[in-house]
Amino acid sequence: MKISPPVTKKLSDILPTEPTLLMGAGPVPIPEEVAKANSLVISHLGEPMNTIVKKIQEMGQYLFQTKSSKIFGISGPSSSAMEMAVTSFLYPGRKVLILNLGTFSNRFAELARGVGADVVELFPAPASPFRASDVAAALKKERFDVLTIVQGETSCGIKNTELEQIVKLAKSKNVKTIVDTVCTLSTMPFFMDEWGIDITVTGGQKGLSSVAGVSLIAFSEESYAFVQNRETLMPHWCLDPRRANKFWCNHEYHYTAPVNGVNALYEALRLICEETLEKRQERHASSSKLLQTSLEKMGLTLYAPADCRLNSVVAINNPEGINSKELITYIKDTFNVEISGAFGLNVIRVGQMGEQCRPQNVKRVLEAIGKAYVHFGVKLELQVLESL
Ligand SMILES: Cc1ncc(COP(=O)(O)O)c(C=O)c1O
């Protein structure tokens, strides 16, 4: 039996005429330069790719604040960078402490179980980050090989305010650390070398305002040496750092790199370097502050307490009787703005990453959220919008 071609439509007939403003927890809008770079297919080997790769590593050193040369791009989502990190350090007989703050911290536990590691999870008090004292107690009770932690947990909008102390504590106990900066890199201060982090992972589609599907991982020189010298086989071929090193450090073939995505990442990182981390972080802080205070002035409440609230993803408590799904659909259909729901919590989430932190985007999402809640019967002070 032959299969006939399905009835097809042009992509432009599927997409809205006006692009939807992506104000959710990622992917985020990308600058024009990044979009243009993403359309360029070049050879994956030789020049100019060798120069592009080298420059991505140099810019990555700036972003992660590390002198390590072991920075690799990964063809895959941020979760594949998490997977490379976990499979580098964990295998049967090794034990990991997972600091579980929500969906994405929990992914580390799923990945670690998958490679047969011994997994112990720690949970914080509701709506709070991890305290170094609680982690110290856990590290005192048992011996661990690895600790995983997120800088910011996108699913609830909470940041680990004691990340530096926790990482340093782990180091003092000879415990290797894996830090997820997927929704935070370039949006808030981060110092891989100064804090003594072993592996950092991040994705393209959030703070970096690049495309999804090309992620970054940074190994400290010491942690890369551990992987290089380990005798147990790596479970993955694509995600083997020693093979990735061939492409990223020796300019040899590993697999065909996602060339247009690499070009896009190059441009995204270049724009960050041009802006500088200090100015970018300040832009994120002030833009998110404007969003947060305006929401509160309207009469809404935020899920995370102010002292541990992420700037990059803001979770808003739904007033009683509101169904997130209906609200989000209404916002999209009426205002052509997309925001995110949540994993289990009764909140909606708004992103403040990269291009989302522009005054016109903040104004538009505030107006959409305010008017949508009013449409569903919530009493709010909408005149706040006039002062924006
Ligand atoms: C903190 C964090 N870690 C990991 C991930 C997984 O990223 P991806 O969907 O690119 O695999 C996300 C995605 O939202 C995230 O927010």
Side-chain angles (χ1 to χ4, degrees):
M1 189 195 76
K2 271 190 170 171
I3 298 173
S4 316
V7 177
T8 55
K9 278 182 177 180
K10 281 187 181 169
L11 187 63
S12 54
D13 292 336
I14 298 174
L15 300 175
T17 347
E18 269 280 303
T20 302
L21 177 61
L22 299 174
M23 293 301 283
V28 308
I30 56 175
E32 232 178 272
E33 293 92 327
V34 176
K36 209 165 152 197
N38 193 44
S39 70
L40 301 174
V41 176
I42 60 169
S43 173
H44 64 117
L45 292 174
E47 286 297 339
M49 184 52 92
N50 295 350
T51 303
I52 291 169
V53 159
K54 201 165 179 329
K55 285 283 164 200
I56 287 181
Q57 287 179 314
E58 281 174 22
M59 295 188 283
Q61 287 179 322
Y62 173 60
L63 251 74
F64 290 117
Q65 290 289 296
T66 180
K67 288 209 167 86
S68 173
S69 61
K70 300 301 177 191
I71 296 178
F72 310 136
I74 295 174
S75 175
S78 326
S79 304
S80 51
M82 295 168 80
E83 195 149 14
M84 184 186 270
V86 166
T87 50
S88 292
F89 280 170
L90 291 169
Y91 40 86
R94 303 259 293 170
K95 195 168 175 177
V96 58
L97 179 64
I98 309 275
L99 302 192
N100 195 332
L101 194 51
T103 307
F104 298 105
S105 330
N106 186 59
R107 191 159 296 173
F108 278 125
E110 293 175 31
L111 292 166
R113 283 194 194 98
V115 293
D118 189 358
V119 173
V120 176
E121 290 174 80
L122 202 62
F123 296 89
S128 36
F130 283 97
R131 299 291 165 215
S133 53
D134 293 336
V135 179
L139 292 178
K140 202 168 166 198
K141 217 165 103 197
E142 289 175 76
R143 158 90 199 115
F144 291 97
D145 299 295
V146 178
L147 176 148
T148 68
I149 181 168
V150 293
Q151 185 175 31
E153 176 55 66
T154 322
S155 60
C156 58
I158 290 182
K159 68 177 170 197
N160 269 315
T161 45
E162 296 181 20
L163 174 65
E164 179 183 353
Q165 295 94 307
I166 291 171
V167 166
K168 286 184 172 165
L169 250 171
K171 194 153 191 85
S172 73
K173 298 267 184 191
N174 245 334
V175 177
K176 293 196 180 306
T177 49
I178 300 174
V179 180
D180 172 327
T181 61
V182 174
C183 75
T184 51
L185 196 69
S186 90
T187 73
M188 62 188 279
F190 180 78
F191 301 96
M192 178 159 170
D193 283 1
E194 200 181 309
W195 295 349
I197 293 165
D198 293 293
I199 300 183
T200 311
V201 295
T202 201
Q205 77 277 23
K206 299 196 193 247
L208 309 187
S209 256
S210 185
V211 294
V214 182
S215 309
L216 275 176
I217 188 165
F219 289 79
S220 67
E221 300 281 353
E222 214 178 53
S223 66
Y224 184 74
F226 172 87
V227 182
Q228 199 170 29
N229 297 330
R230 79 176 239 188
E231 282 170 8
T232 36
L233 281 176
M234 292 294 291
H236 301 304
W237 189 90
C238 289
L239 296 178
D240 179 347
R242 292 170 297 196
R243 290 188 163 96
N245 185 61
K246 278 185 170 184
F247 179 76
W248 286 88
C249 293
N250 300 340
H251 306 305
E252 291 167 7
Y253 176 67
H254 170 204
Y255 53 70
T256 308
V259 289
N260 52 332
V262 170
N263 287 338
L265 183 64
Y266 176 93
E267 274 300 272
L269 300 193
R270 184 187 65 75
L271 290 171
I272 297 174
C273 292
E274 208 173 84
E275 184 176 10
T276 77
L277 280 176
E278 289 77 9
K279 289 203 179 113
R280 192 174 180 87
Q281 287 161 10
E282 170 46 35
R283 176 160 67 81
H284 279 80
S286 56
S287 178
S288 188
K289 187 92 190 141
L290 173 69
L291 175 81
Q292 295 170 32
T293 49
S294 308
L295 288 165
E296 286 178 326
K297 275 189 199 157
M298 272 189 214
L300 292 161
T301 63
L302 305 177
Y303 176 77
D307 61 351
C308 63
R309 188 179 301 149
L310 259 184
N311 278 332
S312 53
V313 181
V314 177
I316 305 160
N317 292 316
N318 271 325
E320 253 196 64
I322 293 295
N323 175 313
S324 279
K325 235 180 171 168
E326 278 174 18
L327 184 88
I328 290 167
T329 306
Y330 179 81
I331 288 176
K332 190 162 174 189
D333 293 348
T334 315
F335 303 99
N336 203 12
V337 172
E338 187 168 294
I339 59 163
S340 301
F343 304 88
L345 298 171
N346 187 22
V347 297
I348 52 169
R349 294 174 303 144
V350 180
Q352 279 292 273
M353 296 176 279
E355 290 306 294
Q356 292 175 324
C357 298
R358 301 288 179 199
Q360 68 276 20
N361 294 343
V362 174
K363 192 170 183 314
R364 199 163 141 198
V365 75
L366 274 167
E367 187 171 353
I369 292 173
K371 289 184 174 169
Y373 272 130
V374 168
H375 171 82
F376 283 99
V378 180
K379 287 201 166 28
L380 291 180
E381 304 287 336
L382 282 195
Q383 65 272 28
V384 170
L385 297 170
E386 278 146 38
S387 61
L388 288 172

